[in-house]
Amino acid sequence: MRVPRSLEVWKMGTVNYMDALKLQEKLVSDRKTSKIADTVLSLQHPPTYTLGKRRTDHNLLIPESELKKIGAELCYTQRGGDITFHGPHQAILYPIISLRDIGIGARNYVEKLELTMIGLASLYGVRACAGQKGETGVWVGERKIGAIGVRISYGITSHGLAFNIDPDLSYFKHIVPCGIADKEVTSLRKETDSVLPAEEVIQEQLISCFARLFGYCNLIWKEKGSILSDNGEN
């Protein structure tokens, strides 16, 4: 009989991108040595452009020196994928989980992340689907609503997905999102006729979709205050 799997859900609020990156690195190390259980970070970032390990700087369409004027910063990462934008009013999940324990490979993992966002969109009557060949993320027609960029180290995941609830889409005009030219970016707010609940509710719905697809039966919710005290921070 399979033992029900547990998932710790860390509700972090708004976190600086580099601080979140350092936290992920620590948690990946802890997960490799089984100091922690499978964990997912649920958060948002201040306006931030991030580049993956391919370093496709040419897909940033404004000089780096101009970023401060639009209230954004640029960060370099070791995740897969191309340039993307993170900012307020996105639902971001960073799973730190063991694919070996779950028994799935990298491709299946990414497909389940896509299905997580597709499932959330369907709750609001939005028909989303995975991208065509060469198009990462989740799309509504020709418009991208969710991005995926992951890193997997010795079977432990980091980075993850970003679903557009109602971000300022003008930030995407300064990049070639995920390296795919001539495509629009959209949001749940633009695509649905439904009245949206509070963003915290939508983030929790996204986590529920994730947990269901990955077979987690027991969710352990942690708020930012208890997380900081557990890690010895004031």
Side-chain angles (χ1 to χ4, degrees), residues 201-218:
V201 172
I202 299 174
Q203 288 172 319
E204 290 178 358
Q205 291 171 331
L206 183 64
I207 292 162
S208 294
C209 291
F210 174 87
R212 183 179 67 255
L213 283 159
F214 284 89
Y216 294 104
C217 302
N218 181 31

Side-chain angles (χ1 to χ4, degrees), residues 157-227:
T157 66
S158 58
H159 299 276
L161 63 82
F163 182 87
N164 295 334
I165 300 174
D166 188 24
D168 182 348
L169 297 178
S170 67
Y171 280 103
F172 289 95
K173 295 177 181 178
H174 302 299
I175 61 174
V176 181
C178 300
I180 303 170
D182 303 320
K183 299 284 187 178
E184 291 182 32
V185 177
T186 191
S187 66
L188 187 61
R189 172 77 68 188
K190 284 188 70 173
E191 298 295 338
T192 186
D193 294 325
S194 303
V195 176
L196 296 182
E199 288 188 2
E200 183 176 1
V201 172
I202 299 174
Q203 288 172 319
E204 290 178 358
Q205 291 171 331
L206 183 64
I207 292 162
S208 294
C209 291
F210 174 87
R212 183 179 67 255
L213 283 159
F214 284 89
Y216 294 104
C217 302
N218 181 31
L219 300 187
I220 303 164
W221 299 84
K222 291 192 172 184
E223 302 287 341
K224 188 171 185 178
S226 66
I227 294 164

Side-chain angles (χ1 to χ4, degrees), residues 14-51:
T14 300
V15 182
N16 173 275
Y17 186 85
M18 293 307 296
D19 289 342
L21 187 59
K22 291 174 186 174
L23 176 59
Q24 288 181 78
E25 290 170 353
K26 178 183 183 301
L27 293 177
V28 166
S29 177
D30 288 348
R31 187 67 189 88
K32 286 177 181 177
T33 57
S34 299
K35 287 183 180 178
I36 62 169
D38 283 353
T39 300
V40 63
L41 308 182
S42 174
L43 46 78
Q44 297 190 12
H45 292 306
T48 309
Y49 296 104
T50 69
L51 279 162

Side-chain angles (χ1 to χ4, degrees), residues 50-78:
T50 69
L51 279 162
K53 56 189 176 184
R54 285 188 287 158
R55 297 292 187 266
T56 49
D57 299 64
H58 58 277
N59 286 327
L60 179 65
L61 303 179
I62 63 171
E64 193 172 338
S65 58
E66 297 289 308
L67 292 177
K68 189 173 287 188
K69 294 180 181 178
I70 63 171
E73 62 177 336
L74 177 66
C75 295
Y76 294 87
T77 80
Q78 290 300 310

